[in-house]
Amino acid sequence: VTAGPTKEYIDPVRYISNKSSGKQGYEIAKSLSKRGFDTTLILGPTNLKISEKINVIKVETAEEMFKATQKNLPADIAIFSAAVADFRVNKNEYKIKKKDNFTINLEKNVDILNYVSNHNSMRPKLVIGFAAETNEIDQNASKKLIEKNCDWIIANDVSKNDRGFNSDFNEVTIHYKNNYKKDKLLYKKKSEISEEIVDRIVSQLS
Ligand code: PMT
């Protein structure tokens, strides 16, 4: 399970990141572990206090998250709940001095989910992505399901403050590959959403 944000450093003290708390991914990892899955959580920088007996690999940048993910293949199931920066910065060695104008050049990061879902020899049996969307949520999620070659994509409305990023609550819709059926998991605690996701994983694999 990947979770949390990534940090893309501009210089030694400044970075680009996002609001992800890692909570949703951590709850999924906890639910999997409780059901007996040997679970690894690849976690970006967060304030989470990890108490459960889950193997946690802490990373900061998208590149580190990618390397940690590669090291943990093969796996039966891969779940990508991390909010990975799409771009990185060519990090300046020293703290950048104040200037009137300043341009940051961004380079594309590897799409970790895309890599895993298309790396055929190592592809997990079940590849589950998330889609964080602020508009046309189901349409955009359906597109990502196909483009990223996932088995399921979990659409997450991130336009509201009471769910999604950095909240204890969520509401999501699971889109399944080759199946017009969608499953809406109504507004509830992220721990409960996670249990419902893992229920569906267990029934798919059994
Ligand atoms: O961490 P929380 O505060 O609990 O919030 C949970 C969440 C809102 C972050 C989570 O539920 C969620 O929606 N995660 C996906 C965040 C995201 O960045 O989605 P995306 O639509 O940009 O990316 C689509 C998918 O590709 C995601 O599975 C993402 O992990 C993956 N991706 C994206 C870019 C990249 N370079 N590598 C990736 O693996």
Side-chain angles (χ1 to χ4, degrees), residues 100-162:
D100 286 341
N101 276 303
F102 179 49
T103 305
I104 296 174
N105 291 316
L106 300 174
E107 268 177 63
K108 227 171 171 189
N109 271 328
V110 175
D111 189 306
I112 306 168
L113 164 57
N114 234 321
Y115 173 88
V116 171
S117 68
N118 288 303
H119 207 79
N120 288 336
S121 61
M122 291 286 213
R123 193 187 192 281
K125 280 185 220 124
L126 192 57
V127 175
I128 303 176
F130 271 78
E133 304 294 341
T134 53
N135 58 304
E136 297 185 338
I137 292 156
D138 284 325
Q139 295 92 314
N140 289 331
S142 295
K143 259 197 234 160
K144 283 185 185 165
L145 175 72
I146 296 161
E147 282 169 9
K148 299 199 180 215
N149 191 28
C150 303
D151 299 301
W152 307 358
I153 198 125
I154 303 180
N156 205 158
D157 181 351
V158 292
S159 68
K160 302 183 177 112
N161 286 330
D162 67 347

Side-chain angles (χ1 to χ4, degrees), residues 2-5 18-26 46 62 65 79-87 109-114 128-133 144 148 150 153-158 163-167 170 172 190:
T2 69
N18 61 65
K19 298 196 308 185
S20 172
S21 64
K23 287 177 187 173
Q24 185 65 77
Y26 179 40
T46 69
M65 188 172 275
I79 304 175
F80 297 87
S81 70
V84 187
D86 287 320
F87 298 95
N109 271 328
V110 175
D111 189 306
I112 306 168
L113 164 57
N114 234 321
I128 303 176
F130 271 78
E133 304 294 341
K144 283 185 185 165
K148 299 199 180 215
C150 303
I153 198 125
I154 303 180
N156 205 158
D157 181 351
V158 292
R163 66 196 67 181
F165 280 104
N166 199 21
S167 162
N170 214 351
V172 299
K190 281 182 175 166

